[in-house]
Structure formats: C-alpha cells, structure tokens
Amino acid sequence: MNILILGGGGREHALAWAVKQNPKCDRLIVAPGNAGIAQIAECAALDILDAGRVVAFCEENAIDFVIVGPEAPLAAGVADATRAAGILTFGPSQAAAQLEASKRFTKEVCDACAAPTAAWARFTEASPAKDYIREKGAPIVVKADGLAAGKGVIVAMTEAEALAAIDDMFGGEFGEAGAEVVIEEFMQGEEASFFILSDGTTALPFGTAQDHKRVGDGDTGPNTGGMGAYSPAPVLTEALQAQAMERIVLPTIREMARRGTPYQGILYAGLMIDDDPQSGERRARLVEYNCRFGDPEAQVLMMRLGAQVLDHLIATADQRLAQAKVNWADDHALSVVLAAKGYPGSYQKGSRIGGLEDLPQDSRHMVFHAGTTAKDGATLASGGRVLNVTARGDSLAEARDEAYKMVDAIDWPEGFCRRDIGWRAL
Ligand code: AMP
Ligand code: GLY
C-alpha cells in the first residue's frame, strides 16, 4: 500500500513510525514532514490545506490510503475531496469535523443526545454576553466558537477577567473564530483524554492519556499545546470508560449519523472527572471534542500500539470496525516535550540540537520530532515544541526514568522541558 500522511509535527512522526512497521505499508510519504520524519519516510512539500492539490498529489503518486493528522485540513474539507476522488481516507468529513471546529455545534449535539457537559449559552454580541456573565458569576469559561489554535478558551477565575475576554473576542482578537462566543459553566475535577475510533456506526476505544497543558512544573504558567503526556491515564478506569462510551461517545456517534453526517475517524474526547455532588457517583463529563489525535498524546498511544495502528485506521476508513480488536499490552508510555526557550511566547529558531545520534531508537525508546529541520547533516530547531522524547516501560515510573535519561543526553542549551511529566499518576 502507498500511504500519505498529512502533517509535520510530533503526532505525524509517531503515526508514521507506527504505520511504517506494518508490512502492509510499501511506500510512505508525509507532507510536509520534518527532519525526524525524513529519516523514516519520504517528505513532500505540499499545501495540505489545498484539497485540489492533495487529490492531484495522490493521483500522481498512486496513493492508496490518506491519513489526515491535524484539524485544519479536516476543517478545510480535504478528507471529503480525497474520498470523493475514490481514495481510502482516514479522517472525518468537513461536516463531521464541526465537532472540533465549532464549540456551539458540539454543545448542540450534546444537548440533542443528552451527553453530560457544562451548561452553556452562546452570544453574537457583547452586551448580552456580559449580562449573562454578571448573572452567573465567576469562575466561568469564555470560548471563541471557531478554531483558534488552542488559544480561544479563557478559564476566567474572576468576573472582570471574563468581561475582558468578551471585549477581546468581540474586538477581533481571534478573528472570525471569535465572531460568536460560547460561555460555559466552570467544571471542577481532573481532566483526561479518551480516544475512540469511529467508522460512522461502530466505536472502538483506542486508549487513554493525560496531557500537561501548562508550561511550568507543578502545572504553573501559561497554557501550551501540551508539554508532555502519558498513557494509560489511571483516572479513566474501565468503569469510567464504559460510562463515557454509554453516555457521551455512542450517543454522539448516533446523533452525527442521524444528522446525515456520520463521524469517521478518531474522536478525541476531553473529559472532566469528578464526583456528582447530588449522587456522589464518580462521573465523566465532556469538556470538548477534537477530530484528530492529540499532540503529544498520539506519541504515547503510538508507542504502545505499534504496527497494529495501520490495520485499525484502515478498518475505520473501510467501515469494518465491528470486526476489529485492539491488542493492549500491560505497559505504559510517557513523552516529554522539549521546547524552545520562550515558548509559548516568542522564541528563537535555528539553534542546533546535539546528541540525538547516540540515543536508542527501538520499540521502547523514540525521539519524535515536532518542529525540526535538517541542514548540512545537523538538526535545527524550527518551532516552539521541538522534540517529543518518548519511552515505554512496564511501569509508568520506568517509562518516565527512561524518557528523562534520553532528555538528559540531548545537548540543546536553547531548549527546556518540564521535569514533572506524569506526576498525577506517580
Ligand atoms: P478546550 O479547547 O475547550 O478543550 O479548552 C481548553 C482547556 O480549557 C481545557 O482543556 C480545560 O482545561 C479548560 N476548560 C475548557 N472548558 C472548561 C470548563 N467548562 N470548565 C473547566 N475548564 C474548562
Ligand atoms: N495536547 C492537546 C491537543 O492535542 O489538543
């Protein structure tokens, strides 16, 4: 099979690494890829938001299967275009990707299928939004409706902060994404990520993970795209996974099918876990959906799943998930993000990263590249999040120790990482 993966981050490196190990994969192209991906696959310069160009590229290269990594090409309808051209595709349609691209859409779907989530209201003007905030009080959560690269959510601990967020959003800080605003009840609890494959009708749990969104140790400082992850997330017990499937995921998938926009791809459910104050029952409520694998959550999932991933992605695209079964080992994986100093604010590009050649690369140790480029045989940093140092172990503590051993062998004075990835579970 000739396979094309769209994207060029750590998530796509991890996907490529897993897919490549499957004997069904003959030729693997990643667009645009990065310096790490170039070591295991062909990289192609291609505008992955241009659906017509992606289809033409697939035809020129006899691509049999397309895997879409990030949300932007999904929201741009790239999966619709490749499917319409008769190419087997992993990734939801533009209509189904609304589950990530519009907060209001997701809330309406939750209401229609009675999936538990935060109480909410939507506004297209500042004044009624502010009245609502004054009525509800803080803490309260203000969200730009559209895609805002993870920056469109303000968890306001005071009323003044929430009111200022309204001014920013309607003032155009998030462009079109902020023309409509969703205001939500603040949910307390522990967050975890639950991944589910859906072929439109059948849903298959595909692992749990926990991310570390804040930039600093002890979950301090500004939010980032994620500074590290581990899998499994012990807070998502078997019982809570079953509850989330029954109350949130399956109702959502049925509702999407009922609307004539079946969801096909990976569904990434961000869940908030707490005890119901009324019944005392342990419960999971939906924070948000994403229509793609998490980054860096994919890195730990791929490390644990390995080659079978390709079979499951094909079964999803082929609508054969009812026959699929995931083989889980009783193992753990942990990934530490190395980022450029200054991230998530401004940072320098172009610094040289040393020590990578001597690191182990096997089924238990991988350095996935996020923002890197190769120049004259050297690896240079070219993004905010740059490397995802990932290890697998029989225990989470072992995975963590192995990952930090690799981190300490990397020579990159311009980079930094959190030293406490995994603390919640350890
Ligand atoms: P989202 O992009 O919707 O996932 O929001 C980003 C982050 O904001 C989430 O991962 C949560 O940490 C936080 N968040 C979003 N909505 C809520 C909510 N209703 N209550 C508490 N925290 C929230
Ligand atoms: N790590 C969070 C995300 O991928 O959205």
Side-chain angles (χ1 to χ4, degrees):
M1 215 176 207
N2 296 335
I3 299 171
L4 172 66
I5 298 179
L6 300 183
R11 166 182 50 213
E12 288 77 25
H13 191 183
L15 281 164
W17 175 83
V19 161
K20 178 81 197 229
Q21 291 171 46
N22 190 304
K24 286 197 186 79
C25 176
D26 296 314
R27 182 174 178 210
L28 180 61
I29 307 178
V30 184
N34 62 38
I37 295 171
Q39 293 168 14
I40 59 168
E42 297 168 51
C43 292
L46 172 65
D47 178 0
I48 63 170
L49 298 181
D50 183 337
R53 276 298 305 139
V54 173
V55 169
F57 182 89
C58 289
E59 283 164 356
E60 285 152 23
N61 291 280
I63 296 295
D64 304 296
F65 186 40
V66 178
I67 301 168
V68 185
E71 64 276 20
L74 295 168
V78 169
D80 305 71
T82 51
R83 260 196 293 272
I87 305 157
L88 193 66
T89 301
F90 179 83
S93 65
Q94 186 174 39
Q98 287 296 304
L99 279 179
E100 174 162 0
S102 166
K103 309 272 185 204
R104 170 173 60 86
F105 179 87
T106 299
K107 287 299 199 180
E108 287 172 352
V109 168
C110 285
D111 285 356
C113 68
T117 183
W120 69 289
R122 72 172 194 111
F123 299 92
T124 51
E125 282 175 71
S127 155
K130 288 184 174 177
D131 290 344
Y132 182 80
I133 288 169
R134 290 191 192 98
E135 178 201 328
K136 296 288 174 187
I140 194 160
V141 183
V142 179
K143 300 183 174 183
D145 176 66
L147 289 178
K151 298 188 182 78
V153 175
I154 309 295
V155 179
M157 296 323 268
T158 64
E159 209 174 284
E161 237 181 297
L163 296 173
I166 293 296
D167 284 331
D168 289 345
M169 287 187 191
F170 287 116
E173 187 173 338
F174 300 101
E176 270 299 297
E180 185 166 335
V181 165
V182 167
I183 303 179
E184 284 184 18
E185 162 201 2
F186 172 78
M187 294 189 287
Q188 211 122 33
E190 185 170 343
E191 266 186 278
S193 308
F194 186 26
F195 295 88
I196 305 99
L197 289 175
S198 165
D199 64 8
T201 44
T202 301
L204 182 69
F206 209 50
T208 64
Q210 216 160 16
D211 188 12
H212 300 62
K213 288 188 199 285
R214 302 301 189 104
V215 75
D217 283 9
D219 291 338
T220 54
N223 264 325
T224 69
M227 293 300 292
Y230 59 90
S231 171
V235 65
L236 276 180
T237 57
E238 292 287 332
L240 274 176
Q241 288 180 53
Q243 186 198 93
M245 286 300 285
E246 185 198 328
R247 295 184 191 170
I248 302 174
V249 175
L250 292 170
T252 298
I253 285 167
R254 283 193 292 266
E255 173 64 15
M256 292 300 287
R258 193 192 63 78
R259 290 170 177 233
T261 52
Y263 188 87
Q264 188 208 81
I266 184 85
L267 191 59
Y268 159 0
L271 300 177
M272 191 68 84
I273 314 301
D274 74 343
D275 296 319
D276 186 331
Q278 258 107 55
S279 65
E281 178 200 42
R282 197 82 175 138
R283 65 174 177 185
R285 288 184 293 167
L286 184 77
V287 179
E288 61 158 358
Y289 281 127
N290 294 306
C291 293
R292 50 176 175 82
F293 283 103
D295 189 344
E297 292 95 321
Q299 288 79 318
V300 287
L301 291 180
M302 295 305 124
M303 190 102 221
R304 296 185 61 212
L305 288 161
Q308 62 177 316
V309 164
L310 179 59
D311 299 315
H312 297 313
L313 302 192
I314 293 171
T316 303
D318 254 348
Q319 294 168 285
R320 282 189 292 103
L321 270 185
Q323 289 106 53
K325 194 174 170 301
V326 184
N327 292 316
W328 289 108
D330 184 16
D331 62 351
H332 301 258
L334 184 142
S335 185
V336 180
V337 171
L338 286 186
K341 280 180 185 163
Y343 175 81
S346 61
Y347 51 82
Q348 299 279 319
K349 291 184 184 179
S351 56
R352 193 190 171 101
I353 304 167
L356 294 175
E357 315 69 37
D358 304 327
L359 292 176
Q361 291 203 13
D362 53 42
S363 62
R364 294 171 86 85
H365 305 86
M366 266 306 290
V367 177
F368 296 116
H369 290 221
T372 64
T373 47
K375 195 172 174 217
D376 307 329
T379 302
L380 306 182
S382 62
R385 293 189 295 169
V386 173
L387 297 172
N388 311 136
V389 183
T390 311
R392 200 169 135 208
D394 296 334
S395 66
L396 185 61
E398 185 191 340
R400 176 202 49 192
D401 293 347
E402 288 297 308
Y404 278 109
K405 245 190 256 170
M406 290 196 284
V407 166
D408 292 335
I410 294 173
D411 179 20
W412 184 35
E414 292 82 3
F416 77 98
C417 67
R418 278 181 61 162
R419 298 298 311 190
D420 64 346
I421 300 305
W423 69 270
R424 268 182 195 279
L426 290 159

